[in-house]
Amino acid sequence: LFTVARETLRSEGVRGLYGGYGVMLLGSGPANALYFGGYKAWQRALPLEGRGRDAAAGLGAEMVSGLVWTPLDVVKQRLQVSPVGTRLSQVLRDVFQAGGARGLYKGYWAGLQVWGPFSMTYFTTYEILKE
């Protein structure tokens, strides 16, 4: 890890350590608002009671916020592995040329398989501890 960091610093400078950081900085607020606001909205909308409602609302929140998180992650990851100075517009152009708008959602279902159960557990635990 330290060897890679040292090599990145040597070849690309400090900017090489922060590829994609700006995209995540701008997108994290709206994505988190969807996640936590979505949880409360799902909680109110679901015709369930108790812990099942909390778990289902957590999954719903993850499904909705993933519509923002996934494109952010795709772009961030591409910027991380691109040479320093690669512009966001170039990354988006490459993604759209390779797979259209669907290219921004590559990994949505895999992410949902990881983060869906996490969100179900997270919000259920939150509600239990809140009592």
Side-chain angles (χ1 to χ4, degrees):
L1 182 64
F2 292 113
T3 304
V4 172
R6 190 172 33 251
E7 190 58 39
T8 300
L9 284 169
R10 185 178 305 126
S11 63
E12 300 179 27
V14 174
R15 285 182 61 193
L17 298 175
Y18 292 96
Y21 182 74
V23 169
M24 293 308 287
L25 195 61
L26 291 173
S28 291
N32 275 301
L34 269 177
Y35 182 62
F36 291 105
Y39 170 69
K40 283 302 191 185
W42 279 105
Q43 243 188 348
R44 286 188 297 272
L46 289 167
L48 303 170
E49 291 297 322
R51 300 300 167 228
R53 180 191 65 185
D54 300 334
L59 179 59
E62 186 60 48
M63 291 172 70
V64 172
S65 67
L67 296 173
V68 175
W69 280 121
T70 303
L72 287 172
D73 275 339
V74 167
V75 171
K76 175 200 69 172
Q77 290 166 10
R78 297 235 179 170
L79 285 168
Q80 286 175 329
V81 297
S82 297
V84 170
T86 301
R87 301 184 67 76
L88 174 62
S89 59
Q90 182 59 50
V91 169
L92 289 171
R93 189 171 22 259
D94 292 347
V95 169
F96 275 89
Q97 283 177 348
R102 289 180 131 194
L104 289 172
Y105 289 93
K106 249 189 175 153
Y108 174 82
W109 295 109
L112 191 57
Q113 288 177 345
V114 171
W115 295 110
F118 167 82
S119 293
M120 294 170 76
T121 305
Y122 173 83
F123 284 113
T124 301
T125 303
Y126 168 76
E127 294 296 340
I128 290 169
L129 293 175
K130 196 169 82 170
E131 291 176 355

